[in-house]
C-alpha cells in the first residue's frame, strides 16, 4: 500500500510517495547496529565546519552558495562542485582532515554506525594544495583513532581514484598508498563522474593494488552509465564489491550470476540521478534498487554524501523501508550483508555476525512494528 510519507527524508521530495513510518520505527532505523560502507569524507562535512573553513581561508565561496550546497531541493545539483571547492580551497592542513574525519565518525556513531569505511580522493589534494599524501593520510588516520577512542566506532579509509584525472594519477595514488601503507587504509575505490571515464581506463592501478594485496571497490553503473561498467569492475578490475551498480538490472543474466557469487552492492536511496530522472510519483516504484533485489542481488544501504544529501544513516535505512518497499526481515538481512562485505578483520566480523541479529530482534520487539509471517529469526 502506498500512502503519504510522514515526513520528507534527505533530498527526497515530500511529494514522492512512500509508506508512513512511526516514531518507534524511526528509532529502530537509528539504533540498528550497522556498518557504513559507502560514504565520501568530503560529502560528510558539517555545514558549520564548511562555513568556518570558508571564512578562515578567505575562500571565494559566498554564503548563498554555501546555503545552496546544503539546502538541496527536489532537483539536486552541485555535489561535485562542493567537493572540488573543499579540495581546492578549504582542506589545506593535516588537521583539517583530522577534524572532518572525527566529526563524520561522531555523527555516524550517534546513529549506531559501529564501523565505517569511507572514501577520500587524494589526487586533487596533492595537486591543488601542495599537501603531501602522507600528511593528509596521517590527519585522517588520527581522526579515526580519536573517534574510535571517544565513540567506540571503528573505521577504515578507502583512498579513491579521481576518475576525471589521468589514469597515470591513479597508478601514482596506489604507489603512494603502498609507500605509506597502513592497516587502516586496506583498499582502493574509484569515483567522481563516470561519464566517458569507464573502469577499464584504470586497469593498471587496480592490478597494482591487487598484486600488493589491497582490497578494491568501484563506483560503476552510476549516472545511468551502462551495465558494462559494472561487468568491467567485477571481472576485469576484480573488485570485492560495487558502489551503486544500478544499471546491472539492464542485464538480468549477469545480475543473477553476480547474485550467485554474492557480490555486494552498496546502494544509495538518495542517489541524485534517479531523483532527477524519475518522476516523483514513480520514483519509489521504478527505482532500480527494487529490480536489483528481485534479481537476487545482495544490497546494503548507505548515505554516500550525508551532509550534502541532507540524509543520515538512519534516513537511508528508513527510505529502504518507507519508499523502496523493504520489510523488517529484509533490513535484518541487509545489516548482515554489510558485516559480510566489510573489510574489518575476521574475528571482528564473526563477533558482529553473532551479536547483531539478537540486538536487531530486540529493537523490533520494542516497537509496534507489524511483523510479516515471513519474518524468520
Ligand atoms: Zn559514492
Amino acid at each position: 500500500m502506498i500512502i503519504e510519507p510522514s515526513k520528507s527524508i534527505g533530498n527526497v521530495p515530500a511529494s514522492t510517495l512512500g509508506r508512513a513510518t512511526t516514531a518507534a520505527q524511526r528509532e529502530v532505523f537509528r539504533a540498528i547496529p550497522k556498518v557504513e560502507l559507502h560514504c565520501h569524507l568530503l560529502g560528510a562535512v558539517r555545514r558549520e565546519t564548511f562555513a568556518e573553513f570558508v571564512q578562515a581561508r578567505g575562500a571565494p565561496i559566498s554564503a548563498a552558495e554555501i546555503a545552496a550546497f546544503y539546502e538541496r531541493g527536489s532537483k539536486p545539483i552541485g555535489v561535485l562542485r562542493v567537493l572540488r571547492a573543499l579540495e581546492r580551497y578549504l582542506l589545506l592542513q593535516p588537521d583539517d582532515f583530522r577534524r572532518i574525519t572525527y566529526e563524520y565518525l561522531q555523527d555516524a556513531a550517534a546513529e549506531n554506525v559501529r564501523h565505517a569505511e569511507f572514501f577520500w580522493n587524494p589526487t586533487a589534494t596533492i595537486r591543488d594544495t601542495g599537501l603531501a599524501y602522507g600528511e593528509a593520510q596521517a590527519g585522517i588516520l588520527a581522526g579515526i583513532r580519536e573517534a574510535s577512542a571517544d565513540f567506540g566506532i571503528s573505521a577504515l579509509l578507502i583512498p579513491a581514484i579521481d576518475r576525471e584525472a589521468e589514469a597515470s594519477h591513479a597508478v601514482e595514488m596506489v604507489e603512494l598508498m603502498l609507500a605509506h601503507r597502513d592497516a587502516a587504509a586496506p583498499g582502493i575505490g574509484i569515483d567522481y563522474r563516470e561519464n566517458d571515464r569507464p573502469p577499464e581506463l584504470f586497469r593498471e592501478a587496480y592490478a597494482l593494488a591487487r598484486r600488493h594485496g589491497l582490497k578494491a571497490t568501484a563506483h560503476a553503473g552510476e549516472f545511468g552509465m551502462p551495465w558494462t561498467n559494472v561487468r568491467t569492475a567485477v571481472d576485469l578490475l576484480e573488485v570485492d564489491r560495487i558502489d551503486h551498480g544500478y544499471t546491472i538490472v539492464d542485464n538480468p543474466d549477469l545480475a543473477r550470476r553476480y547474485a550467485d557469487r554474492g557480490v555486494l552492492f552498496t546502494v544509495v536511496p538518495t542517489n541524485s540521478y534517479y531523483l532527477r530522472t524519475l518522476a516523483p510519483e514513480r520514483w519509489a516504484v521504478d527505482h532500480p534498487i527494487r529490480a536489483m533485489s528481485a534479481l537476487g542481488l545482495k544490497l546494503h544501504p548507505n548515505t554516500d554524501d550525508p551532509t550534502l544529501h541532507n540524509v543520515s544513516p538512519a534516513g537511508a535505512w528508513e527510505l529502504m523501508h518507507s519508499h523502496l518497499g523493504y520489510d523488517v526481515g529484509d533490513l535484518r538481512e541487509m545489516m548482515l550483508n554489510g558485516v559480510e562485505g566489510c573489510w574489518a578483520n575476521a574475528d571482528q566480523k564473526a563477533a558482529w555476525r553473532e551479536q547483531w541479529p539478537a540486538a536487531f530482534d530486540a529493537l523490533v520487539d520494542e516497537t509496534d512494528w507489524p511483523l510479516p509471517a515471513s519474518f524468520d529469526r
Side-chain angles (χ1 to χ4, degrees):
M1 180 178 62
I2 301 276
I3 53 174
E4 284 292 326
S6 45
K7 66 181 178 64
S8 70
I9 306 166
N11 54 8
V12 174
S15 59
T16 297
L17 297 176
R19 277 194 285 201
T21 48
T22 64
Q25 283 173 320
R26 260 174 254 140
E27 174 52 21
V28 173
F29 302 127
R30 191 200 65 78
I32 293 171
K34 47 183 133 17
V35 300
E36 175 146 87
L37 303 180
H38 182 164
C39 178
H40 302 270
L41 180 59
L42 272 54
V45 177
R46 292 176 184 165
R47 179 175 175 167
E48 54 276 20
T49 302
F50 188 96
E52 202 182 307
F53 281 152
V54 167
Q55 190 162 34
R57 311 282 184 240
I61 300 164
S62 70
E65 275 182 296
I66 298 174
F69 291 157
Y70 281 91
E71 290 164 19
R72 296 155 62 70
S74 59
K75 300 285 177 194
I77 48 161
V79 166
L80 298 184
R81 244 193 100 217
V82 192
L83 302 182
R84 292 302 187 193
L86 279 159
E87 287 173 333
R88 190 156 306 152
Y89 307 116
L90 302 184
L91 300 168
L92 306 182
Q93 303 294 332
D95 194 61
D96 300 339
F97 286 95
R98 182 204 57 77
R99 176 177 169 182
I100 61 169
T101 301
Y102 182 88
E103 290 179 351
Y104 158 56
L105 294 174
Q106 180 177 23
D107 293 344
E111 297 204 339
N112 214 16
V113 172
R114 304 281 187 86
H115 174 78
E117 298 179 1
F118 61 90
F119 301 109
W120 161 60
N121 304 85
T123 297
T125 295
I126 297 164
R127 186 187 60 215
D128 298 342
T129 69
L131 204 59
Y133 176 90
E135 295 175 297
Q137 178 177 279
I140 294 171
L141 300 187
I144 290 178
R145 282 192 303 274
E146 286 175 28
S148 297
D150 289 353
F151 313 115
I153 185 172
S154 67
L156 298 171
L157 168 65
I158 308 177
I161 293 166
D162 179 344
R163 74 197 317 161
E164 295 176 27
E166 291 305 312
S168 61
H169 292 301
V171 175
E172 190 180 288
M173 184 200 84
V174 177
E175 288 169 347
L176 285 166
M177 277 180 77
L178 294 170
H180 298 272
R181 192 150 186 179
D182 195 296
I188 66 167
I190 184 171
D191 56 82
Y192 273 120
R193 269 176 71 81
E194 192 178 338
N195 308 53
D196 304 321
R197 306 299 289 162
E200 56 268 31
L201 294 175
F202 305 94
R203 177 183 194 164
E204 196 185 335
Y206 273 82
L208 179 64
R210 289 318 226 170
R211 268 205 306 283
H212 287 87
L214 292 173
K215 301 269 192 192
T217 182
H219 282 49
E222 195 189 1
F223 308 109
M225 290 297 105
W227 63 266
T228 48
N229 283 2
V230 182
R231 182 181 65 184
T232 306
V234 174
D235 293 349
L236 183 75
L237 304 187
E238 299 183 333
V239 297
D240 299 287
R241 60 184 191 234
I242 288 284
D243 302 308
H244 299 295
Y246 313 113
T247 52
I248 190 74
V249 302
D250 296 332
N251 186 334
D253 289 340
L254 186 68
R256 279 186 211 99
R257 282 210 294 284
Y258 289 168
D260 289 343
R261 281 166 57 174
V263 178
L264 180 69
F265 287 70
T266 68
V267 296
V268 175
T270 51
N271 179 256
S272 54
Y273 176 79
Y274 295 103
L275 286 169
R276 269 201 317 272
T277 56
L278 298 175
E281 67 278 9
R282 298 294 308 170
W283 178 87
V285 271
D286 292 343
H287 203 288
I289 284 177
R290 287 180 185 257
M292 292 169 87
S293 288
L295 290 162
L297 290 168
K298 269 170 100 165
L299 307 186
H300 181 258
N302 292 270
T303 57
D304 207 357
D305 296 298
T307 57
L308 296 178
H309 286 186
N310 192 22
V311 74
S312 66
W317 284 76
E318 179 171 349
L319 281 166
M320 297 299 275
H321 172 72
S322 63
H323 286 65
L324 295 166
Y326 295 95
D327 229 310
V328 61
D330 306 312
L331 298 180
R332 193 177 191 269
E333 203 175 300
M334 286 176 198
M335 174 187 75
L336 292 170
N337 289 346
V339 172
E340 215 54 57
C342 81
W343 297 343
N345 71 54
D347 287 347
Q348 183 63 81
K349 287 166 68 157
W352 289 334
R353 213 179 287 123
E354 173 76 21
Q355 297 157 3
W356 288 7
F360 182 99
D361 294 347
L363 282 169
V364 171
D365 285 343
E366 287 165 17
T367 69
D368 51 1
W369 201 317
L371 292 182
S374 60
F375 186 58
D376 181 22
R377 292 200 170 150

